[in-house]
Structure formats: C-alpha cells, structure tokens
Amino acid sequence: SSAWAINNAGVVVGLNHDGSRQNAMQWENAQESVLVTQTCCSGTSAQAMDVNNHGVVAGWTNHSNDGQSGAVIWTNGNKQFLPGLQAGSNGSFASGINDLGQVAGLSTNQLGYQHATLWSNGTVTDLGRVAGFSASFAERINNAGDVVGQSSNGFLTAMHATLWRDGQIIDLGSLNGGADASVAKDINNAGQIVGYSFVDPSNYNSLSKAVIWSDNLTAINLETLIDVQDPLYGKASLAAAWGINDLGQIVGWGWVGGQQQAFLLNPVSSVPEPESYAMLLLGLAGIAVHRRKTQK
C-alpha cells in the first residue's frame, strides 16, 4: 500500500495492491475503506491521489467495473468520472483537488497531446504548456486556483517545473539556470512551491536536489540552506520535496550515510530583521535549515 495525501481531518488516501490489481483506498480513524475495488482482471488499476478538507477525493482508474476509465472524484464514496478534453477519450488523470472542488491533472487534447487540465464548476480547460514543450502534467492545485506540475517533451532532459496562475504559464526553471530538468510537486495556499531538480538530466542515474520556489519564484536548493552549526551539515542530501502545507512544513526524501530516509522540515521562528530568515528543522535528525524571506 501507499499513502499519497492527507487532509486537515486526518483522512488519508492512496492505494493498495493485492498482487494482481491496484485499488484506490481511503483511511480514516484507523479504518480502511476501498474507494474502488478492481475485480475485472489482472493488471487493472485505480489510485486515490488527493483529498480536500471536505473529504472529496481525486484520482483515477484505468478500467472500472462499469467499463469506464479516466479521472474520477469520490464524494462520500460515490464515484464521478470527469470529462476529458477530447470527447470519448479515456486518457485523463486527476492528481490534485482544492477546497473549492477544483481538480487538476491531465487529459488528452484534440491533437492527441497530454496536457495539464483543470476541472472547475463543470467545465474542463486545457491549461497548455510552456513554449517549446509538447506535453504537460498538473500535480496539485491550491485554493487560489494556482496549479503546479511540469511541461515536458516526454523524456528527462526536457522537463521543466511549471506554474499556471491567473491565465499565465510560468516556466519555474531549475537549479542550473534552466539547463537541467525540474519537477514541481506541490503548492500551498501561500503560493510556496516544492519539488526537485536533476543535477545531470542526460544521465538517468543522476542525483536530484530538493527545491523550493517562494517569493520571487526562483529555484532554491533546500540543501544549501542547512544551518552550518547543525550536526548533519554536509552529511545529508535532500533529494526531493514532495509536499508543503500551509504551516510551511515540507516532506520528502533524501540520503544520510548512504541510506534513504524520509524527511520533515518544520519551520521555527527567528529574530525579525529587514531581511529575516525563517528556520526549518529537518526531521531526519534535527537538521536546521533556513529559508530567505522577503518582508511584506
């Protein structure tokens, strides 16, 4: 089983696998419930990707028991398929949902390309992609309707983290001035974005670095913000950031002593200055890192 998201009430969504089929799952108050049980045939899949604070779940199924496939939301356990950009197409996937019920993901458009997609108030919208790329994918959406994901040409060397905001498509770039690949995984209601950037995208075994895009949407390597006085300074490698909440807490994974570990970054207060710093305590072993903040 895998858990992919949690809301403020502690409802967790994800998947389990019974050896031949993958089922969309929900966990609440330590009780497990199946949103979609795949009984059709071996290899069928369903997955719950996100849940909002009203308990509405977004995800997908590739072959449901009623013959339909694609992006889906579950409300109180009731399933609703979302229409694709192209009529009759099953090539859709829901990955994020906000508290307004807006859903982000991807769908196959009229030209046969998979594009980041927004479902809002009964309408489906092709969000497009950064110029120079053929495809895009939306990962998450916040309550302001900001969507994050990536634009790509279908391979690692051509993939850039992307923000869709107020009708604009913003290339978030990467740690190497846009020369390497990057991915945006989550955005909070303050507009802070986390993800990762590959060091050498021409090498599929290349390392990645956890990244945050904040005030001016410039990619910042979270690893470079580790406090020099921390015992693990220079010893921990933060490979990818996967989630950020409205408290500024960040989760992801990295390496310490050659072993892969999950991390949790917890913000703590600092002394206010004209250009103050907010510190983050890393849950691997108390690593403290700080992030530059712009005064309002």
Side-chain angles (χ1 to χ4, degrees):
S1 61
S2 295
W4 285 103
I6 183 172
N7 68 9
N8 290 343
V11 177
V12 177
V13 297
L15 64 92
N16 75 6
H17 202 287
D18 62 14
S20 63
R21 292 170 295 272
Q22 181 174 288
N23 306 310
M25 304 296 297
Q26 175 177 298
W27 296 269
E28 184 175 6
N29 298 324
Q31 298 297 313
E32 181 181 72
S33 59
V34 183
L35 292 167
V36 171
T37 302
Q38 299 290 30
T39 59
C40 162
C41 45
S42 178
T44 56
S45 298
Q47 188 167 167
M49 295 296 298
D50 198 13
V51 57
N52 68 14
N53 288 315
H54 302 295
V56 183
V57 180
W60 59 272
T61 173
N62 77 343
H63 196 302
S64 66
N65 300 330
D66 53 15
Q68 287 185 280
S69 299
V72 64
I73 59 172
W74 292 272
T75 306
N76 297 323
N78 297 315
K79 179 177 57 181
Q80 175 188 346
F81 279 94
L82 301 175
L85 293 170
Q86 182 182 164
S89 172
N90 290 328
S92 60
F93 183 107
S95 55
I97 185 169
N98 66 14
D99 290 340
L100 301 178
Q102 296 172 306
V103 178
L106 69 79
S107 181
T108 303
N109 67 12
Q110 301 295 330
L111 299 177
Y113 291 106
Q114 290 188 325
H115 275 192
T117 302
L118 173 67
W119 290 271
S120 178
N121 297 319
T123 63
V124 55
T125 302
D126 186 338
L127 293 176
R129 74 288 184 273
V130 169
F133 296 92
S134 61
S136 57
F137 175 61
E139 297 269 7
R140 287 290 193 263
I141 181 171
N142 68 9
N143 288 341
D146 298 332
V147 178
V148 294
Q150 46 273 348
S151 298
S152 76
N153 283 326
F155 47 92
L156 183 61
T157 55
M159 182 180 297
H160 271 198
T162 304
L163 167 66
W164 291 268
R165 170 179 287 167
D166 297 329
Q168 293 183 307
I169 304 173
I170 302 170
D171 186 343
L172 292 173
S174 57
L175 292 176
N176 193 22
D180 53 2
S182 59
V183 173
K185 296 297 295 184
D186 198 12
I187 182 170
N188 65 13
N189 287 319
Q192 297 170 313
I193 302 164
V194 295
Y196 53 94
S197 182
F198 289 95
V199 176
D200 180 10
S202 64
N203 177 4
Y204 278 87
N205 294 317
S206 170
L207 296 176
S208 63
K209 295 296 182 181
V211 171
I212 184 169
W213 293 267
S214 191
D215 305 311
N216 60 1
L217 297 181
T218 298
I220 299 174
N221 184 349
L222 282 173
E223 192 176 307
T224 66
L225 303 180
I226 297 175
D227 194 279
V228 295
Q229 297 181 2
D230 190 273
L232 288 182
Y233 175 77
K235 299 178 182 179
S237 177
L238 309 184
W242 280 72
I244 183 169
N245 66 11
D246 290 340
L247 299 178
Q249 295 173 304
I250 300 170
V251 292
W253 66 274
W255 302 90
V256 174
Q259 294 190 354
Q260 182 176 329
Q261 296 190 41
F263 68 75
L264 167 65
L265 294 166
N266 290 297
V268 296
S269 61
S270 61
V271 178
E273 298 176 359
E275 290 185 334
S276 66
Y277 290 84
M279 295 184 67
L280 297 171
L281 296 178
L282 181 52
L284 281 172
I287 299 176
V289 305
H290 53 273
R291 178 177 54 80
R292 198 175 188 87
K293 293 186 68 179
T294 301
Q295 291 290 330
K296 300 296 184 182

